RNA sequence: CGGGGCGUGGCUCAGCCCGGCUAGAGCACACGGUUCGGGACCGUGAGGUCGGCGGUUCAAAUCCGCCCGCCCCGACCA
């Protein structure tokens, strides 16, 4: 492609709204343009990279037996009602009515469509196992799109669905994806870790998220460098050390003015935070014979710990969980800042499992300005539920080996779920097994957002000057920059001939044939980030040569014209080898 | 949904507080000329309902109200 013909404009300055590097550079280099919040177009360069990413996904999916298909973006709401997700999912779902006033849904994911096809077409164990996938648009009306392509509302996802006759089959396909996903990310040039995760709206039995570690990430991960345990903080387990046992002391009311926070309370009483109990008020939307009902939740964790809302929501099986408002708190009879589990009625009390083992805590007295000392679980109050509802923090002990845990930020670039029979049951996907018994099909679902992946690659591979694409996903393999081609016929001829030779020999080449100054061309080349750059100028043609430079290295060297093709071919292969060396087997962490 | 910020040619921004000239600059764009190995220079030119609506005023980019959009933090989220 000649740059003079390319549909592309590079920007000297990044738009003011772009903050993270990948966003700024992808916009400046002309890979993407924003249409609205979380809605982007991919221009030709961006499209080429996306296509390469998608082809890598295709190859890896096909390698584990995947079969590509395409499912619709617009669905009748009926199938989403069958699985209840029409009711369970809130504003994130795109809904509209067609001309016949029929409820319609914009695809957020495709379990329902898969299940609908499967229940009609799969009859026998002989048709299992299967693995199907497609690369298709999703719409999720995220309340807060951010960071360019990192979090958007409309995006393209490679999603695959495994169909099995039994759980062993699911496990096998799950593990196949586990490795295939590592292969995809490694081939795209980004390091990732797989962490155990919450199953979220997908439901199901087991899930892993693939995390690209970066400070701009929005998920917090908990990692054990000693034994390799890693999990999303939303569900991370950790070892809680109970305090030394103490004889329960008689409860005692103490005056604690202006001590409305744990911090202030601990300071005022000169006690460590772990000797206090923290009350957190939430409102959960819980299933209630067929419908849903808002229930006030009084959650108690030790003062030195934080409530983990995901854990709490999962334990309660809550559809939604939010912080209670001040009015709601007062309505239950609790006094904000001095709330106490002692003597409360008509609320659901959930207590962290460490509280039981922590004697003589300071808790609120439900009276402005007073706390109770020596509050003991069991004696002074009890809970409806005792469970692990606290969040792991930096330095907490690893659940497996006891070593201190570390937290890190990451972007979720992919996920895999063992769905089990959640969708099969809801939509009646059954097959007749060998033994003549009708059984539900066991499903798994697996997704990678291709645009987000592209942004992560850009995040990982760039410098001050611009993007530095790994050879596997670069829009072009080589860029020819001609300097003074409009003045020197010799330069023009050599550059044109080189371009044509590469085209003929199947090398993907971008040719900057514009009548621009050298500075502009070099700047644009660096911005766009094609892995190999060849410069043709008066200076080089005099020596029958071109200048060779890799985007990821600063050295330049002259290559004789007669050897250019062989050199480029060789260097492309070297670049591929570098990537290939990173594609490794990763032990399954179940 | 809560908190904060921003909306002025394609991009980056000035002007707004303290209302008043034809609304500016740099980059980008078009034409002419000079340049030509790291975002060159000179000249000429095109391009803006100052996010929208309403209000105050003799007069609004500027003051007031409502709305919309975009970004950031939080809540939420595959």
């Amino acid at each position: 492609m000649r740059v003079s013909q390319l549909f592309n404009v590079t920007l000297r300055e990044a738009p003011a709204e772009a903050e993270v590097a990948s966003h700024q550079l992808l916009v400046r280099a002309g890979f993407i343009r924003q249409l609205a919040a979380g809605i982007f177009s991919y221009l030709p360069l961006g499209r080429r990279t996306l296509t390469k990413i998608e082809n890598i996904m295709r190859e890896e999916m096909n390698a584990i037996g995947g079969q590509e298909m395409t499912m619709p973006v617009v669905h009748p709401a009926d199938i989403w009602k069958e699985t209840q997700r029409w009711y369970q999912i809130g504003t994130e779902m795109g809904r509209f009515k067609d001309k016949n006033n029929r409820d319609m849904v914009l695809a957020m994911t495709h379990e329902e469509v898969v299940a609908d096809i499967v229940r009609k077409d799969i009859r026998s164990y002989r048709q299992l196992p299967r693995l199907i996938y497609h690369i298709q648009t999703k719409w999720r009306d995220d309340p807060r799109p951010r960071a360019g392509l990192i979090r958007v509302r409309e995006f393209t996802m490679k999603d695959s669905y495994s169909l099995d006759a039994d759980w062993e089959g699911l496990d096998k396909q799950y593990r196949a994806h586990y490795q295939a996903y590592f292969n995809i990310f490694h081939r795209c040039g980004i390091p990732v870790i797989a962490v155990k995760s919450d199953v979220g709206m997908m439901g199901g039995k087991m899930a892993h998220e693939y995390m690209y570690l970066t400070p701009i990430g929005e998920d917090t991960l908990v990692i054990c460098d000693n034994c390799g345990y890693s999990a999303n903080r939303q569900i991370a387990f950790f070892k809680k050390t109970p305090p030394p046992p103490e004889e329960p002391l008689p409860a005692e009311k103490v005056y604690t003015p202006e001590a409305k926070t744990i911090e202030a309370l601990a300071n005022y009483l000169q006690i460590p935070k772990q000797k206090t109990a923290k009350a957190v008020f939430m409102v959960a939307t819980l299933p209630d014979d067929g419908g849903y009902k808002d229930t006030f939740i009084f959650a108690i964790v030790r003062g030195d710990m934080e409530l983990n809302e995901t854990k709490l929501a999962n334990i309660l099986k809550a559809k939604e969980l939010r912080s209670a408002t001040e009015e709601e708190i007062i309505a239950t009879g609790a006094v904000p800042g001095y709330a106490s589990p002692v003597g409360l009625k008509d609320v659901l009390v959930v207590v962290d499992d460490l509280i039981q083992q922590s004697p003589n805590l300071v808790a609120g007295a439900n009276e402005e300005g007073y706390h109770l000392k020596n509050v003991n679980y069991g004696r002074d109050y009890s809970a409806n539920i005792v469970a692990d509802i606290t969040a792991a923090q930096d330095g907490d002990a690893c659940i497996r080996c006891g070593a201190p845990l570390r937290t890190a930020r990451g972007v979720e670039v992919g996920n895999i779920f063992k769905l089990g029979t959640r969708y099969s049951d809801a939509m009646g996907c059954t097959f007749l097994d060998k033994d003549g018994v009708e059984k539900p099909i066991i499903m798994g679902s697996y997704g990678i957002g291709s645009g987000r992946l592209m942004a992560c690659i850009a995040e990982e591979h760039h410098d001050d000057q611009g993007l530095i694409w790994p050879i596997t996903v670069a829009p072009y393999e080589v860029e020819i920059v001609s300097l003074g081609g409009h003045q020197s016929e010799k330069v023009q001829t050599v550059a044109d001939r080189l371009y044509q030779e590469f085209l003929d020999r199947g090398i993907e080449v971008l040719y900057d044939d514009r009548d621009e100054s050298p500075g502009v061309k070099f700047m644009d080349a660096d911005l766009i980030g094609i892995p190999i750059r060849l410069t043709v100028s008066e200076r080089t043609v005099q020596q029958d040569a071109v200048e060779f430079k890799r985007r990821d290295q600063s050295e330049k060297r002259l290559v004789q014209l007669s050897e250019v093709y062989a050199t480029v071919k060789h260097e492309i292969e070297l670049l591929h080898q570098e990537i290939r060396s990173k594609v490794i087997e990763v032990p399954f962490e179940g």
Side-chain angles (χ1 to χ4, degrees):
Chain A
M1 170 61 70
R2 288 173 182 265
V3 175
S4 61
Q5 308 296 311
L6 185 64
F7 186 81
N8 184 252
V9 173
T10 55
L11 270 31
R12 192 174 287 217
E13 285 167 294
E17 66 269 15
E19 284 205 345
V20 304
S22 60
H23 187 192
Q24 293 183 345
L25 293 174
L26 288 170
V27 171
R28 284 188 54 210
F31 282 63
I32 58 172
R33 290 290 182 258
Q34 180 167 349
L35 178 64
I39 305 178
F40 286 84
S41 298
Y42 291 83
L43 305 187
L45 288 177
R47 209 328 128 190
R48 285 186 70 98
T49 287
L50 210 53
T51 299
K52 294 209 169 176
I53 291 170
E54 289 174 355
N55 284 339
I56 289 173
M57 299 196 290
R58 286 192 173 92
E59 287 174 21
E60 293 295 333
M61 284 299 103
N62 294 345
I64 60 170
Q67 303 177 50
E68 186 170 4
M69 53 194 280
T70 296
M71 289 177 271
V73 181
V74 174
H75 307 171
D78 306 17
I79 55 175
W80 288 81
K81 288 175 179 170
E82 283 188 67
T83 61
Q84 300 297 309
R85 290 211 278 189
W86 172 263
Y87 309 103
Q88 290 164 355
I89 297 171
T91 54
E92 219 183 322
M93 180 183 279
R95 304 164 206 252
F96 67 100
K97 288 178 189 290
D98 71 5
K99 65 179 184 300
N100 295 324
N101 209 33
R102 190 175 179 203
D103 285 327
M104 305 299 280
V105 171
L106 290 177
M108 304 177 75
T109 170
H110 284 80
E111 282 79 12
E112 279 79 0
V113 179
V114 168
D116 182 68
I117 295 170
V118 160
R119 69 178 163 186
K120 290 170 179 162
D121 287 1
I122 302 236
R123 299 264 91 100
S124 157
Y125 73 94
R126 292 175 195 277
Q127 295 170 282
L128 298 172
R130 289 290 185 274
L131 176 61
I132 53 180
Y133 73 95
H134 73 337
I135 299 175
Q136 179 60 300
T137 303
K138 313 285 186 247
W139 172 260
R140 296 184 191 175
D141 199 352
D142 199 290
R144 195 159 98 73
R146 62 174 283 272
L149 254 32
I150 297 288
R151 195 157 122 180
V152 293
R153 297 192 293 169
E154 184 192 291
F155 60 101
T156 304
M157 188 182 216
K158 186 291 299 170
D159 39 328
S160 40
Y161 302 88
S162 63
L163 308 166
D164 280 283
D166 51 40
W167 292 92
E168 293 70 36
L170 171 62
D171 195 55
K172 207 170 150 198
Q173 299 222 51
Y174 189 85
R175 284 170 187 250
H177 275 86
Y178 186 85
Q179 180 60 43
Y181 271 33
F182 273 112
N183 295 347
I184 290 168
F185 298 125
H186 290 157
R187 288 178 65 184
C188 288
I190 65 164
V192 293
I193 62 168
V195 303
K196 279 188 275 294
S197 71
D198 183 44
V199 293
M201 75 168 180
M202 308 295 294
K205 304 280 180 200
M206 180 195 256
H208 283 84
E209 290 170 343
Y210 289 77
M211 290 288 182
Y212 164 60
L213 297 185
T214 163
I216 66 154
E218 48 197 352
D219 286 284
T220 302
L221 314 175
V222 172
I223 298 166
C224 176
D225 291 321
N226 185 50
C227 72
Y229 175 77
S230 60
N232 194 307
R233 186 157 181 243
Q234 291 180 327
I235 61 145
F237 296 113
F238 60 105
K239 203 174 278 176
K240 298 175 184 172
T241 314
E246 285 175 28
E247 278 306 303
L249 301 171
E252 179 189 340
K253 192 153 108 178
V254 287
Y255 181 53
T256 52
E258 301 302 319
K260 290 193 171 189
T261 64
I262 291 296
E263 198 72 51
L265 179 67
N267 263 330
Y268 183 81
L269 293 175
Q270 291 293 299
I271 53 169
K273 284 196 269 187
Q274 52 263 41
K275 292 298 286 181
T276 66
K278 176 156 66 181
V280 186
F281 305 96
M282 308 295 293
V283 173
T285 307
L286 303 180
D288 180 57
D289 29 63
Y292 287 94
K293 195 178 136 205
D294 277 1
T295 304
F296 194 87
I297 308 295
F298 192 109
I300 303 165
V301 300
R302 232 171 50 178
D304 57 327
M305 316 200 85
E306 269 178 54
L307 176 69
N308 181 325
E309 294 182 19
T310 305
K311 285 183 182 178
L312 179 59
N314 285 344
I315 284 154
L316 295 168
K317 300 192 177 13
K319 176 192 171 194
E320 274 170 45
L321 185 69
R322 61 172 171 84
S323 301
T325 64
E326 183 117 344
E327 295 78 60
E328 286 169 329
I329 297 172
I330 292 166
T332 66
V335 180
Y338 297 94
S340 171
V342 183
L344 273 195
K345 333 186 270 276
D346 296 334
V347 298
L348 193 65
V349 180
V350 185
V351 164
D352 184 58
D353 50 13
L354 187 61
I355 289 277
Q356 297 176 286
Q357 306 167 47
S358 302
N360 301 326
L361 298 179
V362 176
N366 257 346
E367 191 179 333
E368 185 75 29
Y370 289 92
H371 278 84
L372 289 173
K373 272 171 83 171
N374 303 326
V375 170
N376 286 282
Y377 180 80
R379 182 189 71 183
D380 302 312
Y381 66 101
S382 61
N384 303 75
I385 301 172
V386 176
D388 171 29
I389 55 167
T390 48
Q393 301 181 69
D394 216 276
D396 280 340
C398 173
I399 188 77
R400 282 211 311 233
C401 73
L405 294 166
R406 162 173 76 90
T407 58
R409 304 276 282 179
V411 172
E412 181 188 345
V413 285
N415 53 45
I416 56 179
F417 289 92
K418 282 190 181 178
L419 296 177
T421 61
R422 148 123 226 223
Y423 296 92
S424 302
D425 291 341
M427 294 186 60
C429 306
T430 58
F431 68 100
L432 217 51
D433 208 349
K434 279 186 194 118
D435 51 15
V437 177
E438 188 174 42
K439 296 176 183 170
I441 291 172
I442 317 279
M443 285 176 62
S445 88
Y446 316 83
I448 296 179
S450 40
R452 182 182 280 186
L453 177 50
M454 177 167 131
C456 288
I457 298 168
E459 204 61 50
E460 177 75 8
H461 298 281
H462 72 269
D463 61 17
D464 298 344
Q465 296 303 305
L467 299 158
I468 309 173
W469 293 105
I471 189 78
T472 46
V473 296
Y476 293 90
E477 297 169 301
V478 180
E479 174 161 0
I480 298 172
V481 174
S482 74
L483 301 182
H486 291 256
Q487 288 69 238
S488 158
E489 207 172 311
K490 184 92 186 289
V491 168
Q492 179 84 280
T493 310
V494 169
D496 281 356
R497 213 171 52 214
L498 210 52
Y499 174 56
Q500 192 56 48
E501 183 185 356
F502 283 162
L503 283 182
D504 293 343
R505 303 219 199 178
I507 287 183
E508 298 174 10
V509 57
L510 187 64
Y511 172 25
D512 195 345
D513 59 338
R514 294 174 300 171
D515 186 13
E516 287 287 353
S517 72
V520 169
K521 291 187 170 190
F522 286 140
M523 286 298 198
D524 275 351
D526 285 348
L527 225 203
I528 291 169
I530 305 301
I532 292 172
R533 187 183 82 192
L534 298 175
T535 306
V536 183
S537 70
E538 193 65 45
R539 196 194 280 175
T540 68
V541 294
Q542 274 172 11
Q543 304 174 67
D544 284 322
V546 301
E547 179 191 86
F548 173 96
K549 181 180 176 300
R550 265 173 63 160
R551 179 63 182 87
D552 63 343
Q553 295 175 351
S554 52
E555 303 80 59
K556 303 167 189 166
R557 66 174 201 263
L558 281 183
V559 176
Q560 288 305 116
L561 283 177
S562 56
E563 289 161 22
V564 172
Y565 174 74
T567 302
V568 165
K569 195 81 189 154
H570 176 67
E571 290 285 345
I572 289 173
E573 178 51 29
L574 281 182
L575 286 163
H576 277 287
Q577 272 174 27
E578 284 169 32
I579 292 280
R580 231 176 283 135
S581 70
K582 291 175 185 154
V583 180
I584 48 163
E585 286 288 315
V586 181
F588 183 75
E589 287 274 348

